[in-house]
Amino acid sequence: MGYDKILPEIIRKNDNKILLVVLDGIGGFPHIITGKTELETAKKPNLDRLAEEGTCGTLIPILKGITPGSGPGHVGLFGYDPIETLIGRGTLECLGIGIDLSKEDVAIRGNFATIDEKNIVTDRRAGRISTEENMKLISILSEKIKEISGVKIYLQTVKEHRCAIVLKGAGLYPHITENDPQKEGLPLKPLEALNTNSEKTTLILKEFEKQVIEVLKTLDTKAKAILLRGISQLPEIPTFEEKYKLNAVCIAAYPMYKGISRLLGMDIAEGCETVEDEFEMLLELYSKYDFFFLHIKKTDSYGEDGNFQAKVKTIEDVDSKIWQLKKMKFESLAITGDHSTPSMLKGHSWHPVPLILKSPNSIPDDIK
Ligand code: ZN
C-alpha cells in the first residue's frame, strides 16, 4: 500500500471526527420466498435517509471471491493490508476470548482430540466434548502444568473441544510446525522449530504436549491429547496513532473486536452490552477522541444461525438508535460490514459488503 509511505508525511492533525459503524456480517442474500435481503426487508428509515444523503457502494474486504473471517475483515476496514498484516490463528483465538497478550507471549489454539496408545489421532475433536467437560479438563491441566523450564503456561476454555494456550516468558518465538495431522488415522505430527530462535519454545511445547497426554490418560474422558495449532505472536504493526495520527476508541461488546482494536493501540470503552449502550457510550466519549469504531455483533451471529428475522430485527434496532448521531458532528461517517453473513447461507460469504459514506461535503448519488 503506497499510502503507508506518504500518509505519515502529509497528515495534519485537526479537530474533525470520524465514525466507523461496523454491522458485522451485514451483507445478505435474498430470502428464498420474498426475494429480498435482510437489509431490503428491514424497516430502517434512518439508515435509508443516511443512504440517500450519502454516497453508497459495496466494498470487497479482502479480495474478490475470498470469504473473510472477522479478524482479517476488520484489519482491512482499518486500512491495513489484510494479506500483509496476518494475525495468527492462535493470537486471534486468544483475543477472541479476551486474553490480554503481550508482545513476547506465544498464543496457540488447542483442540482436545482422542488418540490411541500409539499416538494415532482417532478423533480430532474428542467427540466434540461439552464446554463444561472442557472447563473441568482445563482446570485439572492448569493445576498440574503451571510452568515448564521457567515459562508460565496458561490454559483457557474456548468452547466444546476448543481451548487456548498462552506461553509467557522471555525469549519465546512462534515459528513451529503444528502437531495436528489434519486427518484422523494418522499419528500426532512432531513439533518442529522452523528457525533456531524458536528451538527453545519447541522444546517447551513438546514437554507440554507430553505432560498433557500423561494427565489426560488418568481421566475418564475422550480427550486424550491437545492438537496445538496456529502457534503465533502478536504481529508488529503500526498503531492507529502512528499510521493516521488519530486518537481512536473502540466501542464493542465482544472481546475479539476489543482485542484487535487494542492491538492497533485504540482505547477500549468497557461495559457496553447492547446497541443502546454503544450509542450512549459514543455520545459520552464524543469530545475525547478523533476516531470512533462502533461494532455491532448480532447481525453476524443471527446470520450464522440462519435466523433471517432476527438479523432483520437487529438492523431495525440499530436504525432506531442511529438517530442519536444527530446530536454529534462527524466529518466522515462510514456504515458498513467486515464481510457478508447471509442468513440463507448460515455463514460468512465472499459477497461484497454494502457501504454508506457520508460527510457534510459528500455528493449524494442516486441510491436511496
Ligand atoms: Zn465479522
Side-chain angles (χ1 to χ4, degrees):
M1 271 196 167
Y3 286 117
D4 283 345
K5 292 209 173 67
I6 59 164
L7 276 184
E9 301 282 321
I10 60 173
I11 293 174
R12 296 285 173 269
K13 218 160 164 47
N14 59 40
D15 295 331
N16 292 339
K17 292 181 187 291
I18 303 172
L19 170 63
L20 169 65
V21 179
V22 178
L23 292 130
D24 205 295
I26 185 64
F29 201 72
H31 192 280
I32 198 156
I33 295 168
T34 64
K36 285 183 172 179
T37 67
E38 296 90 327
L39 270 171
E40 286 170 327
T41 308
K43 287 192 185 66
K44 44 174 186 7
N46 297 302
L47 282 165
D48 288 344
R49 185 178 41 78
L50 288 169
E52 191 167 347
E53 292 168 1
T55 311
C56 298
T58 56
L59 65 84
I60 307 230
I62 312 278
L63 286 172
K64 277 186 185 169
I66 300 294
T67 297
S70 287
H74 276 80
V75 167
L77 284 180
F78 293 138
Y80 294 75
D81 184 330
I83 294 167
E84 298 285 314
T85 316
L86 274 185
I87 305 177
R89 299 294 305 182
T91 302
L92 266 183
E93 192 82 300
C94 289
L95 295 177
I97 52 171
I99 297 178
D100 206 358
L101 293 173
S102 76
K103 294 252 181 230
E104 291 212 305
D105 297 345
V106 167
I108 305 160
R109 309 172 85 183
N111 270 17
F112 280 112
T114 314
I115 56 168
D116 67 11
E117 60 289 352
K118 287 182 185 146
N119 282 357
I120 307 276
V121 177
T122 56
D123 187 339
R124 288 181 61 246
R125 296 182 180 88
R128 262 190 207 279
I129 54 167
S130 67
T131 305
E132 293 71 40
E133 183 172 347
N134 180 323
M135 287 165 83
K136 273 185 211 150
L137 299 176
I138 289 294
S139 121
I140 296 169
L141 288 167
S142 303
E143 199 48 50
K144 305 229 176 206
I145 314 171
K146 289 183 174 159
E147 200 176 300
I148 297 172
S149 307
V151 169
K152 292 208 158 44
I153 316 274
Y154 290 94
L155 295 152
Q156 203 166 312
T157 296
V158 178
K159 209 178 169 188
E160 296 172 341
H161 58 286
R162 284 162 48 213
C163 63
I165 302 131
V166 181
L167 308 186
K168 281 186 182 283
L172 296 174
Y173 292 92
H175 307 104
I176 302 167
T177 60
E178 304 180 350
N179 66 353
D180 181 1
Q182 296 291 340
K183 259 188 176 174
E184 283 147 12
L186 296 174
L188 287 173
K189 283 174 89 176
L191 293 156
E192 279 169 20
L194 295 168
N195 60 25
T196 42
N197 274 345
S198 303
E199 282 171 3
K200 173 186 154 183
T201 318
T202 308
L203 288 176
I204 291 165
L205 276 186
K206 277 177 186 274
E207 180 58 28
F208 171 74
E209 182 191 33
K210 197 175 111 200
Q211 291 190 20
V212 166
I213 293 174
E214 279 164 16
V215 173
L216 293 176
K217 220 181 248 174
T218 65
L219 305 175
D220 179 24
T221 169
K222 281 189 175 172
K224 293 298 170 200
I226 299 183
L227 301 179
L228 304 168
R229 313 164 73 213
I231 304 164
S232 52
Q233 272 173 329
L234 288 177
E236 285 288 338
I237 34 182
T239 64
F240 230 64
E241 177 80 40
E242 287 162 349
K243 197 170 158 73
Y244 302 119
K245 295 198 176 84
L246 287 172
N247 177 17
V249 65
C250 156
I251 302 173
Y254 278 65
M256 188 178 83
Y257 307 93
K258 296 183 196 174
I260 293 177
S261 304
R262 196 176 290 123
L263 176 62
L264 302 178
M266 292 187 200
D267 281 352
I268 312 296
E270 294 293 356
C272 292
E273 296 281 335
T274 63
V275 173
E276 185 164 11
D277 295 343
E278 294 188 335
F279 278 96
E280 272 170 20
M281 183 63 80
L282 179 67
L283 195 57
E284 194 181 318
L285 297 178
Y286 177 76
S287 62
K288 294 189 183 144
Y289 294 92
D290 314 311
F291 182 93
F292 301 82
F293 159 47
L294 193 149
H295 179 263
I296 313 275
K297 178 65 181 171
K298 292 245 156 72
T299 30
D300 176 60
S301 324
Y302 288 129
E304 287 202 336
D305 294 346
N307 193 339
F308 192 97
Q309 269 319 315
K311 187 173 170 187
V312 167
K313 272 259 167 293
T314 305
I315 296 167
E316 292 176 347
D317 184 28
V318 172
D319 189 79
S320 73
K321 308 296 179 311
I322 216 158
W323 64 270
Q324 296 235 35
L325 296 185
K326 280 191 176 165
K327 299 181 192 163
M328 296 165 264
K329 181 172 172 267
F330 292 100
E331 187 65 18
S332 305
L333 162 66
I335 304 175
T336 188
D338 52 338
H339 51 80
S340 294
T341 310
S343 314
M344 301 310 289
L345 303 179
K346 290 191 180 179
H348 295 193
S349 76
W350 51 266
H351 298 91
V353 183
L355 163 74
I356 301 174
L357 275 180
K358 192 177 172 295
S359 133
N361 307 316
S362 62
I363 300 170
D365 52 23
D366 307 334
I367 299 169
K368 294 181 170 48

